[in-house]
Amino acid sequence: MTELNNGTLSELPSNVAAPPYDRTRLRPGIAHFGVGNFHRAHQASYIDRCLALPDQNDWGIVGIGLSGGERSRKKADQFRSQDCLYSLTVAPAKGDTSVRVIGAQLDYLLAPEQPAEVRTLLTDPALRIATLTITEGGYHVDPGSGAFATDHPDVAHDLTGNGDLRTVFGFVTEALARRRSAGIKPFTVVSCDNLRHNGEVARAAFVGFANAMDQDLGAWIDANVMFPNSLVDRITPSVSAEDAARLTQASGLADQIPVVAEEFSQWVIEDRFTDGRPALEEVGVQFSDQVKLWEQVKVRVLNAGHLTLTYPGLLLGYREVAEAMRDPQVPVLLGRFLDKIVLPLLEPPRDVDLVDYENTVLERFSNEAMHDQLTRIASDSASKVPVFLTTTIQQVLARGTDHRIPAFVLAAWSRVLRETDDDGKDFEVTEPRLDDSARQLLISGDPREALGIEPLRASGASEHADFVATFESYRRALAERGAKATLSTVLEATSG
């Protein structure tokens, strides 16, 4: 096995592509908060290709981790021991995999242990973009009112101004304030999370935080900082210890932090940047004034489709997406949800055929080479369901169209929260934003109250008696008859 660090880039195995540029000439121009697998396979991959172009060497990335603890410290040590290099394996549905080393990340800062270094980075005039993958639920913006919630413990702590900062809002807002005082241009803030209108949500969050500290600062950020909307798309599974062993065996690299992704990748973004940007259009990024339309198509087809197959898939005993797609009923449910409910409600971007888009998504879900975990998709559903399903449910209820499949999906989610499939085998899904009371209501509580919990409140489902009754009938059927029989009932009822 070949160790992975700057000193071994000229000695990589023949099947592994090295960064096609001199890393010693790179300078950091981007700070990224939340260095997970998706960022490493998506945004960092695009920047990696940019760095090989002429006059692009000042767009290197510095990753920033916000969490403390042993796991976060181990992650930081892994990055540093490999000079922030890692391998990206691309697994197409057909054909051979390919492996390349990504060199776009130049450093990794662990904010709880290196707050001064984070401050220095964010106030450096060379730093011109801050990007985020902090999860759908990490923005603390109420979907109904659009207000930023200041009562989260870490947010409240940062607003006091006492002690070390804990949140991205604290670090970014402080840096923008310092840049304003020093006459340095503000950086652009780019959300790369699966949120509709993610730039607008990010603006609401950071301006809301700043307003809670100093309304003059909030007004300045609102007027001077760009928050472009962007759509991001690439299926990137979690990497277990077994997956890592398989990837390193295939690549020949002793890589502690390998990542794997599908061949498909898409990034659509508004061309609104405060102080320049990389030449992303040269490496496949689409600049568009219709990002909001792209967002709704992707979120309501791909992301909602993922949830629609994942919940019954887990209950049926499957653990991977492609495995669930081999079930005779699951693809039928998914196709019926998209064809009969979602697509008729969508306005596509220019030159986008929704049927072609749906077919591409279904092909991606069936990619056997991906080994994408259903538990990955099901985890943190309390953040995902409001983003991916709310608008569809609202429109279905407003128009009086068939609500049975959305009701079944929510009932299946409630059953998944028991973390046991119909054969009695356990699985684990994490719900960091769902308290015990809401969890128990979804599992077995009063159905109207269950549909009125915070993640589902904006959908309005709890106010529609027919939806409540259908949800409860499917929840009982899943408990008494199991997922296979209940799914058959759903498909029979919606076959017309």
Side-chain angles (χ1 to χ4, degrees):
M1 289 282 180
T2 303
E3 298 293 326
L4 184 54
N5 53 59
N6 283 332
T8 63
L9 285 177
S10 61
E11 308 166 7
L12 299 180
S14 59
N15 62 314
V16 178
Y21 48 79
D22 182 355
R23 289 190 94 212
T24 64
R25 298 180 64 242
L26 302 181
R27 298 186 299 274
I30 302 171
H32 183 79
F33 290 87
V35 186
N37 287 354
F38 177 77
H39 161 75
R40 296 197 291 134
H42 186 269
Q43 180 199 333
S45 175
Y46 282 107
I47 298 300
D48 190 69
R49 282 174 273 165
C50 275
L51 294 173
L53 301 173
D55 303 318
Q56 295 293 300
N57 59 341
D58 54 353
W59 291 112
I61 301 170
V62 175
I64 300 174
L66 292 169
S67 301
E70 182 178 349
R71 183 178 178 183
S72 296
R73 202 168 294 113
K74 178 181 178 182
K75 180 178 179 178
D77 290 343
Q78 289 171 328
F79 273 118
R80 293 165 186 159
S81 70
Q82 297 186 175
D83 297 319
C84 292
L85 296 165
Y86 60 89
S87 62
L88 168 61
T89 297
V90 175
K94 299 177 182 178
D96 296 331
T97 60
S98 62
V99 185
R100 81 178 205 263
V101 171
I102 303 295
Q105 185 172 314
L106 308 182
D107 199 358
Y108 187 82
L109 302 178
L110 191 58
E113 298 179 359
Q114 299 172 282
E117 289 89 338
V118 174
R119 288 184 170 97
T120 298
L121 171 71
L122 295 176
T123 53
D124 189 332
L127 196 286
R128 291 182 279 168
I129 298 175
T131 55
L132 320 168
T133 45
I134 58 174
T135 77
E136 294 84 2
Y139 291 82
H140 308 304
V141 173
D142 182 84
S145 67
F148 177 69
T150 58
D151 57 354
H152 185 279
D154 289 340
V155 171
H157 169 272
D158 283 2
L159 287 172
T160 67
N162 299 321
D164 291 331
L165 295 169
R166 298 176 183 175
T167 71
V168 63
F169 311 107
F171 279 109
V172 166
T173 303
E174 180 190 78
L176 289 171
R178 291 185 176 193
R179 292 170 82 106
R180 179 180 66 156
S181 297
I184 301 170
K185 284 186 178 181
F187 45 71
T188 302
V189 178
V190 182
S191 170
C192 297
D193 281 299
N194 280 318
L195 290 165
R196 296 189 64 207
H197 319 333
N198 56 10
E200 295 174 15
V201 173
R203 177 184 294 277
F206 286 97
V207 172
F209 181 90
N211 278 335
M213 293 180 59
D214 176 351
Q215 289 196 346
D216 287 341
L217 175 61
W220 181 85
I221 291 174
D222 195 26
N224 292 278
V225 179
M226 295 295 183
F227 295 87
N229 289 303
S230 70
L231 169 137
V232 294
D233 190 5
R234 190 173 212 180
I235 295 173
T236 309
S238 303
V239 177
S240 66
E242 294 76 13
D243 293 329
R246 174 175 53 83
L247 292 170
T248 55
Q249 182 64 35
S251 70
L253 291 173
D255 184 359
Q256 302 174 69
I257 45 175
V259 64
V260 61
E262 64 174 337
E263 187 173 34
F264 181 95
S265 185
Q266 186 178 36
W267 193 1
V268 186
I269 188 168
E270 293 172 337
D271 199 357
R272 298 190 297 111
F273 289 77
T274 311
D275 190 20
R277 62 168 176 78
L280 294 167
E281 71 276 11
E282 299 294 325
V283 295
V285 175
Q286 301 165 257
F287 286 94
S288 173
D289 60 357
Q290 292 194 307
V291 172
K292 290 182 181 180
L293 296 181
W294 275 107
E295 287 171 351
Q296 70 157 348
V297 170
K298 188 259 181 173
V299 165
R300 294 173 66 182
V301 175
L302 184 139
N303 296 115
H306 252 157
L307 297 183
T308 300
L309 73 88
T310 290
Y311 300 142
L314 281 169
L315 298 176
L316 289 165
Y318 304 123
R319 296 296 179 264
E320 294 184 357
V321 173
E323 184 185 15
M325 288 293 287
R326 292 199 302 268
D327 184 279
Q329 295 190 111
V330 171
V332 178
L333 174 74
L334 181 55
R336 202 163 289 172
F337 171 67
L338 297 176
D339 293 337
K340 291 192 171 188
I341 298 173
V342 178
L343 264 58
L345 300 173
L346 291 177
E347 178 187 354
R350 287 185 294 268
D351 303 322
V352 172
D353 184 293
L354 290 176
V355 174
D356 288 345
Y357 184 87
E358 175 192 346
N359 290 336
T360 298
V361 166
L362 297 178
E363 289 174 7
R364 293 165 64 192
F365 287 172
S366 299
N367 184 349
E368 298 279 354
M370 285 301 296
H371 304 290
D372 193 13
Q373 306 91 347
L374 295 175
T375 51
R376 176 189 75 84
I377 299 164
S379 290
D380 200 16
S381 285
S383 295
K384 296 173 181 177
V385 167
V387 177
F388 303 159
L389 289 172
T390 290
T391 303
T392 296
I393 294 173
Q394 288 173 334
Q395 292 180 336
V396 163
L397 295 176
R399 300 184 185 201
T401 51
D402 194 338
H403 63 262
R404 284 173 290 194
I405 291 178
F408 169 74
V409 172
L410 296 184
W413 175 32
S414 76
R415 191 70 180 167
V416 163
L417 291 173
R418 294 173 63 256
E419 298 183 305
T420 303
D421 65 27
D422 287 351
D423 291 328
K425 296 177 181 176
D426 294 338
F427 54 82
E428 182 177 359
V429 292
T430 59
E431 286 289 356
R433 294 172 179 85
L434 192 68
D435 62 34
D436 290 341
S437 174
R439 188 184 186 109
Q440 287 306 312
L441 278 173
L442 265 180
I443 291 173
S444 59
D446 177 88
R448 187 173 183 275
E449 292 183 18
L451 292 173
I453 65 172
E454 196 278 330
L456 299 175
R457 191 172 302 138
S459 72
S462 66
E463 302 304 316
H464 287 256
D466 288 346
F467 194 102
V468 174
T470 305
F471 165 78
E472 175 63 0
S473 70
Y474 288 145
R475 192 169 61 166
R476 287 182 178 176
L478 287 166
E480 296 169 3
R481 301 168 55 214
K484 184 176 180 179
T486 306
L487 183 49
S488 296
T489 300
V490 174
L491 295 181
E492 183 178 353
T494 58
S495 62

